[in-house]
Amino acid sequence: MRAMSRVERFFERLVERPSARLFRTRLQPVQILRRIERAMESERGAEGRPGLVPDQFVVHIHPDDLAGLTPPEQVAGELASGALTFARSHSYALRDRPRVTLQPDARLRPGEVEVVASLTPAREAAAGEQVPDTGTRLFEIPVVRGPDVMIEVREPNQAARRVPASGAPIRIGRAPDCEIVLRDSRASRRHARLAARGGVLVLTDLGSTNGTRVNGHRISEVVLGAGDRILIGETTLTVEPATAGTGARP
């Protein structure tokens, strides 16, 4: 842990506590994911290995916040998937598949999040076994299947394009590492995320500056269906049923 971590956590709480008290907003999974990403960043270079980051995360939140994350096992799985995506996008190394545990903690105020990050111990070689020193690798989380759909993307002054989606996480934004890159100055670098959950397709706003709207309503997270229209900046994305022969996104 870096020497400044306690100071950083103090200032984070100083900012987060008033907003939680004044607005009493429900804690969103994307807020927890951002704290996991910060914990991953702060512990980067674990055991003296550049790029090696923690893969085990115990998330402490207020019991009322935990009660609002249902089902908690599914939310924890989505957070672990998000941690893996973050590590891959930054070319970090993981010793094992990320694992997230949600822990109720009455010490905290509603809206506060504390993350304890750790590293899976290195496997020791059995007698006579040689374990090559190849560093670490990223473990894939199986893709949760959702309904096969096409996303029609209409950007300002650009020809319309269609992107197939079937449940694998798809990030939408201006950043070049997004699966759907938008040429729209009003879109955030990582604006929103599409992913399957429980057999349906879920759209999550990733804390964007200008927000995400579906059918005219601003959302933080919503289940999508055929015909839904997503507005990001000046770009419209329309959900269409996949036609035969289009195939699914790998």
Side-chain angles (χ1 to χ4, degrees):
M1 178 73 69
R2 298 180 303 167
M4 291 294 292
S5 293
R6 290 185 180 180
V7 178
E8 290 169 353
R9 283 202 298 270
F10 170 77
F11 283 111
E12 286 170 353
R13 290 175 187 171
L14 199 64
V15 172
E16 291 169 357
R17 283 178 177 173
S19 64
R21 290 198 301 268
L22 290 174
F23 300 104
R24 301 188 182 276
T25 54
R26 179 178 172 182
L27 184 65
Q28 299 295 325
V30 67
Q31 296 172 272
I32 300 175
L33 180 58
R34 291 294 165 266
R35 296 302 299 270
I36 291 173
E37 292 171 354
R38 277 187 248 170
M40 189 181 290
E41 288 275 12
S42 68
E43 298 285 350
R44 183 161 46 108
E47 297 183 354
R49 294 188 175 213
L52 180 62
V53 294
D55 49 57
Q56 309 295 303
F57 305 92
V58 179
V59 178
H60 294 261
I61 58 178
H62 190 273
D64 291 345
D65 287 329
L66 180 59
L69 300 174
T70 55
E73 298 83 2
Q74 186 170 314
V75 174
E78 286 289 327
L79 292 170
S81 178
L84 176 61
T85 300
F86 179 78
R88 292 183 64 187
S89 67
H90 289 76
S91 299
Y92 293 155
L94 295 167
R95 184 165 284 159
D96 203 346
R97 178 181 301 152
R99 183 179 305 163
V100 175
T101 302
L102 298 174
Q103 182 74 37
D105 194 332
R107 297 181 303 110
L108 302 178
R109 296 173 182 268
E112 288 186 339
V113 181
E114 284 189 1
V115 178
V116 179
S118 60
L119 194 67
T120 297
R123 185 173 69 88
E124 296 183 0
E129 180 187 6
Q130 291 187 351
V131 178
D133 186 14
T134 56
T136 55
R137 64 189 180 92
L138 292 175
F139 287 76
E140 293 288 349
I141 290 180
V143 172
V144 180
R145 293 286 298 180
D148 289 339
V149 298
M150 296 293 292
I151 307 296
E152 183 191 58
V153 183
R154 291 186 176 272
E155 303 162 276
N157 304 315
Q158 301 289 335
R161 54 193 168 107
R162 285 178 169 79
V163 180
S166 61
I170 297 177
R171 291 164 302 173
I172 307 169
R174 291 186 294 105
D177 60 349
C178 289
E179 284 71 30
I180 298 181
V181 179
L182 301 182
R183 290 155 290 190
D184 187 332
S185 61
R186 291 181 54 81
S188 296
R189 286 181 54 79
R190 294 176 183 85
H191 196 108
R193 178 174 179 264
L194 281 169
R197 187 184 304 169
V200 297
L201 196 62
V202 178
L203 175 70
T204 303
D205 183 271
L206 299 179
S208 65
T209 301
N210 294 316
T212 303
R213 293 182 178 272
V214 174
N215 301 330
H217 301 282
R218 184 159 182 165
I219 61 95
S220 57
E221 191 168 77
V222 69
V223 174
L224 293 177
D228 283 342
R229 295 170 63 86
I230 306 162
L231 183 63
I232 293 177
E234 297 181 354
T235 299
T236 301
L237 301 92
T238 305
V239 182
E240 302 176 345
T243 57
T246 58
R249 181 181 180 276

